[in-house]
Amino acid sequence: MRPVYMLAGGITKFAKVHPDKDFRLMVKEAFDAALGDLDGRLTPADIEGSVISYFSDHFTCQLKAGAMVQDFVGLCPKPHVRIEGGGATGGLCFQSAVQAVASGRFNVCAAMGFETMSTVETWKGNDFIALASDTHFDYPLGGFYTGYYAMMAVRHMHEFGTTEEQMARVAVKNYGNAVHNPFAQHRHPATLEEVMNSAMIAYPCRRMTTCVMSDGAAAVILASEEAARKFCANPIRVAGIGSGSDAMRMADRPHARVPLLPHESESDYRDLKYPGVHSFRAGRMAAMEAYRQAGITDPRQDIQAWELHDAYASAELQQYEDIGLCKYGESGRFIEEGHPTIHGSNPVNPSGGLLACGHPVGATGLMQMVFCFWQCQQTIARHFGDPFCQIQNVRRAAGYSHAGTGTYVTISILEKP
Amino acid sequence: MKLPEKTEGPWVTSFDPLTRQWTYTVTYNVSYAEDSPFFHALGHNKLLGSECQKCRYRYATPRTVCMYCGGPTDWFELPLEGRVHSWTTCHFSGEPYLSECPFHLGLIEFDRVDTLFMTRLVGIEQPRIGMPVRACFRRKKTWSVNDVYFVKKE
Ligand SMILES: [Zn+2]
């Protein structure tokens, strides 16, 4: 495996609906934004292949939409593949492009993703998403992902004493950050009271602790060390990628022992049955692999900025524990003490995350990596037109992309060379 | 020769950009295949789980092959009483289930069974973790996992 560098990233503004642009034009916008950042040094002719991601053919009403993106952005007849993996589609797309460069197959590879969720009403969208649960045993019970996450959150509350207020604090933090992010769909600050009084969707997930449907696209350019030097003034190295999986039906998850991160010990979790339905084992596995590759022994010290998959505020709390920002059971206190806030010890979702930015599924994981890239480059101020979301002295930033009730998770770590 | 004119067109929801409605429906013939005995058993008011014949892991939701050792599983009758492992109340849902809101979902744990079973909790005002529940079966079968649901055990 040879070193891989990220050269550029681009995002369209995520919105409830983009009726004036189809998915091809949205991706082209993101792709052009990425190339534009390289001052014309890199052209489509330099790109040797691409990976394109979108989650749902149902939303797109178009099979093989990836092929249409490939020709639209001018990359035919080069190699191309479409990647799909539920909510982690974008993260898997990023990692697939990393592998294509690391293996030596391509010197420059584009990773592009999109979703157009506005083609149907929200309740139909919920139905499409629920088709990504077991259609014999889970979907017919009420086909609703928020309901599944709600049951995980209720168990987390039972095991660890996590509260609704702690979940609301995650949302307040993320909405607050997004006020300063022009790419975000939701740019109004929210008070704890507003979040806690917003409509209940599935207890304890409320309207304002649950992400919305979005249209949007994101694109990333990855390259070998030699190509990075040629095309980019300030490339960022991909220091490690990791991923994990778990049983599709959360009813099937084991109740066993916690796989430990380097800074944890057996005695931390003597009585904890893991992962049960309160934790994401795939996230823990992804962290272990990515940390090993990047040489990370304590993520609390070694990674300065995180983009986590806060499709639900409760899921962000669960993820703090899976990635080892705090021990299992401590995420409620972790947010209460302000650690993941933008000025805290471990900033999480300085962009506003999925709650505020939106979650156009196939673009989301790539969007996270674009934000991480700008954090490492220290170019947030230039891209956002506002320095607020820039974390000072970022050496490493990491993105966490997440599917199903934790069926796939990817973690990708970027590092300033 | 002219193409016949259509009198029923699609609804146009916006003229610029032009947005038309497109209805696409499909009927699948979906086989429960190797899981069929579970659904047959619901017709006899029984709940079947799977037990690994090699490592004896017991699954509350059926699978033909063990996730851990790859061994074949055999059917066993689950107890009709268990406890709520987790729950939620859905006030919103996907389109087919919207009219049923609010409804409770639950994950059920059984004694001496290693995994859980997801189901609807019915007739319970406020579910709680640990609450004893028992299985009930629909009289008129829908041939789906909804033929069983759980109520509070008094
Ligand atoms: Zn076995």
Side-chain angles (χ1 to χ4, degrees):
Chain A
M1 299 261 279
R2 58 178 182 166
V4 179
Y5 288 79
M6 183 163 164
L7 272 51
I11 318 171
T12 63
K13 183 177 167 64
F14 292 175
K16 172 115 189 92
V17 58
H18 268 313
D20 50 331
K21 290 171 207 152
D22 73 2
F23 60 90
R24 299 169 304 169
L25 189 52
M26 285 195 304
V27 176
K28 175 85 164 94
E29 255 187 38
F31 180 67
D32 286 348
L35 294 190
D37 243 18
L38 297 170
D39 303 320
R41 284 210 259 177
L42 182 114
T43 67
D46 301 308
I47 297 171
E48 294 168 15
S50 76
V51 186
I52 296 172
S53 63
Y54 64 102
F55 157 57
S56 171
D57 296 309
H58 290 68
F59 277 117
T60 313
C61 316
Q62 171 67 62
L63 303 194
K64 285 181 89 259
M68 294 170 74
V69 169
Q70 178 81 349
D71 76 47
F72 197 83
V73 302
L75 290 177
C76 284
K78 292 168 186 176
H80 146 70
V81 67
R82 176 230 177 154
I83 291 275
E84 188 279 314
T89 293
L92 290 164
C93 174
F94 181 85
Q95 297 196 346
S96 175
V98 169
Q99 288 161 10
V101 175
S103 69
R105 184 179 178 199
F106 303 143
N107 290 307
V108 182
C109 182
M112 301 174 275
F114 71 87
E115 209 72 46
T116 47
M117 307 176 85
S118 64
T119 49
V120 294
E121 301 291 346
T122 298
W123 45 90
K124 193 69 203 171
N126 285 330
D127 187 47
F128 287 169
I129 293 167
L131 289 172
S133 61
D134 187 313
T135 54
H136 290 180
F137 288 95
D138 293 348
Y139 168 86
L141 298 169
F144 192 33
Y145 252 97
T146 312
Y148 307 154
Y149 272 84
M151 283 192 281
M152 298 189 103
V154 165
R155 190 69 201 184
H156 199 275
M157 294 163 88
H158 173 82
E159 291 280 348
F160 304 128
T162 315
T163 65
E164 273 199 81
E165 184 182 312
Q166 290 164 343
M167 295 174 204
R169 283 184 189 280
V170 170
V172 170
K173 164 179 76 71
N174 293 354
Y175 291 128
N177 292 345
V179 170
H180 305 274
N181 177 358
F183 295 98
Q185 183 166 342
H186 184 291
R187 296 190 66 196
H188 320 287
T191 63
L192 199 59
E193 205 179 9
E194 268 178 279
V195 175
M196 292 192 68
N197 289 327
S198 64
M200 190 64 83
I201 296 181
Y203 175 81
C205 300
R206 292 177 181 271
R207 172 61 204 77
M208 291 186 76
T209 55
T210 303
C211 70
V212 294
M213 308 269 174
S214 309
D215 283 5
V220 159
I221 308 292
L222 296 166
S224 65
E225 188 161 5
E226 197 185 336
R229 221 175 284 134
K230 181 173 168 196
F231 296 116
C232 183
N234 51 351
I236 300 297
R237 196 168 70 86
V238 180
I241 59 172
S243 69
S245 61
D246 215 328
M248 179 70 143
R249 305 189 291 231
M250 60 178 182
D252 290 351
R253 309 277 165 87
H255 296 75
R257 285 157 77 131
V258 181
L260 299 175
L261 292 173
H263 65 297
E264 294 177 329
S265 67
E266 202 77 50
S267 61
D268 293 341
Y269 304 122
R270 243 187 283 273
D271 302 317
L272 184 61
K273 302 260 190 289
Y274 185 86
V277 297
H278 50 76
S279 296
F280 301 122
R281 182 170 54 155
R284 178 49 64 110
M285 298 307 288
M288 290 168 75
E289 188 188 6
Y291 292 172
R292 204 163 46 235
Q293 274 182 33
I296 282 162
T297 52
D298 187 342
R300 296 167 301 183
Q301 311 295 330
D302 300 340
I303 298 174
Q304 291 77 38
W306 279 93
E307 290 289 332
L308 293 186
H309 190 96
D310 57 328
Y312 307 94
S314 49
E316 182 174 314
L317 291 177
Q318 291 167 283
Q319 289 161 24
Y320 297 157
E321 300 170 354
D322 296 317
I323 62 176
L325 292 185
C326 60
K327 292 198 176 113
Y328 281 107
E330 292 179 352
S331 60
R333 213 170 68 218
F334 188 73
I335 180 78
E336 263 178 13
E337 290 171 357
H339 299 294
T341 59
I342 202 146
H343 301 300
S345 56
N346 296 98
V348 172
N349 287 325
S351 67
L354 281 55
L355 281 174
C357 291
H359 182 17
V361 188
T364 304
L366 292 167
M367 164 196 80
Q368 293 175 315
M369 296 319 295
V370 176
F371 291 145
C372 289
F373 174 70
W374 291 341
Q375 287 289 354
C376 288
Q377 276 194 327
Q378 300 276 326
T379 57
I380 288 282
R382 175 158 67 79
H383 288 100
F384 287 11
D386 182 333
F388 180 87
C389 300
Q390 179 68 58
I391 311 298
Q392 297 312 309
N393 305 315
V394 174
R395 185 162 164 245
R396 294 195 193 89
Y400 176 117
S401 190
H402 181 112
T405 50
T407 39
Y408 305 117
V409 172
T410 70
I411 291 179
S412 307
I413 303 171
L414 301 183
E415 183 178 318
K416 228 186 228 173
Chain B
M1 182 67 185
K2 275 186 169 173
L3 205 60
E5 299 297 335
K6 296 219 170 156
T7 51
E8 282 178 21
W11 285 100
V12 167
T13 53
S14 150
F15 207 72
D16 189 16
L18 186 57
T19 309
R20 80 184 161 113
Q21 288 197 333
W22 174 23
T23 305
Y24 181 88
T25 55
V26 57
T27 301
Y28 294 97
N29 291 309
V30 177
S31 172
Y32 286 124
E34 68 275 14
D35 291 335
S36 296
F38 170 85
F39 294 93
H40 294 149
L42 291 182
H44 299 292
N45 297 351
K46 284 179 183 169
L47 262 181
L48 294 187
S50 303
E51 179 173 342
C52 175
Q53 296 306 294
K54 246 165 94 184
C55 76
R56 296 291 152 191
Y57 200 86
R58 280 152 72 93
Y59 298 91
T61 314
R63 57 174 64 232
T64 317
V65 178
C66 178
M67 256 202 288
Y68 299 99
C69 74
T73 63
D74 205 356
W75 298 102
F76 74 99
E77 254 184 70
L78 282 166
L80 295 181
E81 293 180 353
R83 290 171 305 278
V84 173
H85 183 80
S86 194
W87 62 275
T88 186
T89 307
C90 294
H91 299 272
F92 197 65
S93 187
E95 189 176 43
Y97 308 101
L98 267 185
S99 63
E100 298 168 21
C101 293
F103 57 84
H104 302 308
L105 288 179
L107 285 161
I108 308 302
E109 58 185 40
F110 302 94
D111 282 336
R112 288 176 300 282
V113 180
D114 296 296
T115 67
L116 308 171
F117 184 76
M118 201 197 288
T119 191
R120 285 274 186 108
L121 298 173
V122 173
I124 301 172
E125 186 145 354
Q126 181 58 65
R128 59 176 176 77
I129 289 177
M131 178 183 270
V133 287
R134 66 180 170 85
C136 286
F137 298 86
R138 277 184 205 263
R139 193 168 52 82
K140 293 189 174 171
K141 303 302 175 188
T142 63
W143 304 108
S144 81
V145 71
N146 284 308
D147 286 348
V148 63
Y149 55 93
F150 280 70
V151 301
K152 191 171 173 182
K153 186 189 153 196
E154 297 300 343

